[in-house]
Amino acid sequence: MIGRWRRPPEHRAALGELDEAATAALLRRLAHDDAARARYDRAIAAMRLLERSDVAEVELELVERWLAADGVFAPQTATRRWPLLLTSVLAAAAAVLWLRGAPPRHAGDEFTPRGPGDATPLSLQLLCDDGRDAGPRVEAAQGRCPRDGTLAFAVRLEPRHDGGRVVVLFGLDAAGEVQYYVPNPDDAAVPAIEPGRWQPLSRAVRLEVNHVAGPLRIYAAALPAAPTLDAIDAAATALRRRVGSDDDDRPWSARLPAQAELLAGCGADRCAFAQADLLVTEDATP
Amino acid sequence: MNRTAEPDDARAPCGWSRTLLAGFRAGAPEALREIYRMHAREITTMLRHGFAFESNAGIGRFGGLSSPFELQDALHETFARAFEPAARRAFDGIRPYGPYLRTIARNVVLRAGRRQRERVPLPDGIEQERAVAGTDDDAGDPERAAQDRELVAVVRAFLDRVAPADRALLQARFVDGLSQRDAAEQLGLGRQQLRTREARLREALLDHLRERGREGLAAVLPSLLTALVVEALR
């Protein structure tokens, strides 16, 4: 049997494996991608034949996910797809953080934020649960997390920071695709964090959903107010253009245009930024 | 929201519980999801099989959307419009909601048809229903009919090699129409066992489809290459 991650997204959709955001992204793309649409239609048609039905069971679920991703079931928080998974990962993440205290911020920890280092009042920690160990491996070998693992996040704001406390997280993967974490099309809620302690975020990401193998750079910010997804998109576009350029080691906020919507209200140290790198691997072998 | 447990006086004239109606009007997500699940199949059936309609050109018939993507797109658009705040407020809770949704679905399809006609003007004499996007008209599209036949053959080949135990599962679920719970009971399986086996069957079918797609390409590739070479040598 073909590994799940080797199946085209159209087939994974037909198997009901894509979450709301990925389902919506795929279905929107099908309107302009004839080849993908043909693959998708064929896969769903096969499901209809298997079920001997004019409409396959999964079709109604897919549209429900698409509506949810589009915010049609808003305004309250959309239903989370993996509540049990999320709870266990976050509980484990919290336990790890409690047992270990504040994670080391530099040498020896591949999840250490890059960029401004100690100068920034925001720190970001990536937690990988590969499903094989008892809890998230904070010090995963060489900063890796397998694609069938789950990624969770913890952030810390230094007490000296008296600016914005609304946390935003997004990533850019090896394919240059933006990955929305907080907020995301499913869940517009953004948490405000308390300075002075590590806090796990209520967001866990199954990497097999929407992520490709390869480097994944994750950007975090503490802002005065929640940004729109468009503002995140614009920032990701600017960062994508800058990848590999000479100033790539500067704090990521310095790589955005001064008028970037994401930086609105960021004057006079009102915002804080961090970033971290991760290598998403195809298998669990480090 | 248990609709069956409520007394009649707790029901709105449209048949919903008053709690559900209030939640719908307020845009409560759980209410909107419940209403989607109540009506999605009915609207899907209508979009799949088509409907008659009246226009300036007379009575026409929309043949239905056979393309899964087009059908889902229309279903999505229907509920997105129906659940807009203004549309929710406009629903009086007196008339049944199904016909209201069907009207929206009809308009979604006919509007899409009009847009297509504007882009690609059709010659005179073509029936009204042909002007609507995605009509289910395999007879008029030999290429698609051939693709459909090929798909049926591929799925049949897959089913022919399914193990007897899995065949019994397919019989219970999709021929006898049992729910997963009832099918599990009939087959002496745990519900989770049945779900896992059904999921694996679906995965195996799509893997088979993918493999056969490659084989199909391999079969036609030599003739395609020959045609290209002949064309290049002309």
Side-chain angles (χ1 to χ4, degrees):
Chain A
M1 190 168 286
I2 296 171
R4 176 181 291 181
W5 56 88
R6 294 203 177 93
R7 289 196 184 96
E10 300 80 22
H11 283 200
R12 295 183 60 210
L15 294 169
E17 291 179 357
L18 300 184
D19 70 358
E20 291 169 353
T23 299
L26 173 69
L27 290 169
R28 279 194 286 264
R29 182 161 63 85
L30 296 186
H32 312 286
D33 185 338
D34 290 343
R37 184 169 155 179
R39 268 195 303 276
Y40 178 81
D41 274 357
R42 191 169 152 85
I44 297 284
M47 289 298 158
R48 290 178 178 178
L49 287 168
L50 183 76
E51 296 176 19
R52 301 187 182 204
S53 170
D54 284 340
V55 178
E57 288 176 1
V58 74
E59 293 185 72
L60 303 186
E61 291 169 23
L62 288 168
V63 174
E64 184 173 341
R65 287 177 199 173
W66 189 3
L67 288 164
D70 283 357
V72 173
F73 299 137
Q76 277 105 30
T77 307
T79 304
R80 292 181 194 282
R81 187 159 174 244
W82 318 300
L84 293 175
L85 174 71
L86 186 70
T87 305
S88 62
V89 169
L90 291 177
V96 168
L97 289 172
W98 181 75
L99 287 169
R100 296 179 56 87
R105 299 184 63 191
H106 283 297
D109 185 347
E110 290 71 21
F111 293 111
T112 300
R114 289 187 54 191
D118 291 336
T120 178
L122 179 66
S123 300
L124 167 64
Q125 186 78 2
L126 305 183
L127 303 147
C128 168
D129 181 2
D130 63 6
R132 293 160 184 83
D133 295 337
R137 297 189 304 160
V138 180
E139 297 171 355
Q142 300 169 2
R144 293 168 178 230
C145 191
R147 253 191 100 232
D148 61 356
T150 301
L151 183 64
F153 312 90
V155 291
R156 175 185 164 89
L157 258 180
E158 297 302 322
R160 63 186 155 87
H161 177 73
D162 62 354
R165 295 176 181 182
V166 168
V167 173
V168 174
L169 272 179
F170 63 97
L172 275 175
D173 69 14
E177 291 291 320
V178 62
Q179 303 288 344
Y180 308 100
Y181 300 129
V182 181
N184 64 69
D186 289 354
D187 190 347
V190 285
I193 60 167
E194 287 300 314
R197 64 187 178 92
W198 282 96
Q199 285 176 249
L201 299 181
S202 59
R203 170 76 174 149
V205 180
R206 286 204 313 192
L207 290 174
E208 66 188 4
V209 177
N210 257 0
H211 288 70
V212 295
L216 173 66
R217 177 161 292 178
I218 295 168
Y219 302 90
L223 304 176
T228 62
L229 291 180
D230 286 344
I232 293 175
D233 266 340
T237 301
L239 292 165
R240 191 185 299 127
R241 286 197 201 111
R242 293 278 190 173
V243 168
S245 65
D246 291 338
D247 61 355
D248 202 28
D249 284 335
R250 295 162 60 200
W252 69 266
S253 56
R255 285 176 259 149
L256 298 180
Q259 70 278 16
E261 189 186 337
L262 195 77
L263 300 181
C266 281
D269 295 330
R270 295 284 299 156
C271 304
F273 303 90
Q275 74 180 43
D277 292 338
L278 178 74
L279 185 63
V280 180
T281 58
E282 278 291 8
D283 54 49
T285 310
Chain B
M1 282 179 212
N2 186 346
R3 298 176 66 244
T4 56
E6 298 189 55
D8 286 346
D9 59 0
R11 292 201 166 280
C14 67
W16 295 349
S17 72
R18 293 199 181 276
T19 312
L20 183 62
L21 180 59
F24 171 72
R25 284 184 172 148
E30 65 275 20
L32 299 181
R33 280 185 190 270
E34 183 175 344
I35 290 163
Y36 170 80
R37 289 168 188 169
M38 280 165 61
H39 292 281
R41 186 156 291 276
E42 168 192 354
I43 300 304
T44 303
T45 302
M46 171 194 167
L47 291 168
R48 180 75 181 83
H49 295 290
F51 51 83
F53 64 92
E54 202 171 332
S55 72
N56 293 338
I59 302 238
R61 176 159 176 82
F62 164 63
L65 297 165
S66 62
S67 154
F69 171 71
E70 285 177 356
L71 186 144
Q72 291 161 28
D73 192 25
L75 184 66
H76 172 270
E77 184 67 17
T78 298
F79 278 92
R81 288 187 191 183
F83 287 172
E84 281 175 358
R88 281 189 280 108
R89 284 194 296 271
F91 180 60
D92 54 19
I94 295 171
R95 289 165 291 182
Y97 194 58
Y100 177 74
L101 268 178
R102 287 202 293 273
T103 302
I104 295 177
R106 280 164 51 95
N107 290 339
V108 164
V109 168
L110 296 176
R111 212 167 286 152
R114 274 197 293 276
R115 280 200 300 272
Q116 191 181 58
R117 280 201 301 280
E118 284 161 11
R119 283 200 302 272
V120 187
L122 294 169
D124 292 341
I126 291 189
E127 295 167 69
Q128 181 77 15
E129 63 266 32
R130 293 278 189 84
V132 178
T135 49
D136 192 5
D137 189 7
D138 286 354
D141 185 347
E143 188 182 349
R144 207 176 88 196
Q147 286 171 355
D148 288 349
R149 281 196 300 274
E150 185 261 350
L151 181 64
V152 169
V154 169
V155 173
R156 190 170 292 152
F158 169 79
L159 293 174
D160 284 346
R161 67 177 202 189
V162 162
D166 287 337
R167 196 182 299 279
L169 186 155
L170 293 174
Q171 170 77 27
R173 285 278 290 131
F174 305 127
V175 180
D176 301 339
L178 299 182
S179 66
Q180 285 189 332
R181 184 192 304 259
D182 292 343
E185 194 176 322
Q186 180 178 299
L187 298 171
L189 297 170
R191 194 173 172 198
Q192 187 54 44
Q193 276 179 304
L194 183 127
R195 288 172 67 132
T196 302
R197 274 176 49 184
E198 186 178 319
R200 285 191 182 145
L201 270 172
R202 290 176 189 274
E203 290 172 4
L205 171 60
L206 292 190
D207 293 345
H208 174 77
L209 195 66
R210 205 166 163 218
E211 287 303 314
R212 290 299 292 259
R214 284 187 191 133
E215 284 173 17
L217 184 63
V220 299
L221 210 51
S223 57
L224 276 176
L225 286 172
T226 305
L228 285 171
V229 169
V230 168
E231 183 66 27
L233 292 175
R234 268 185 189 167

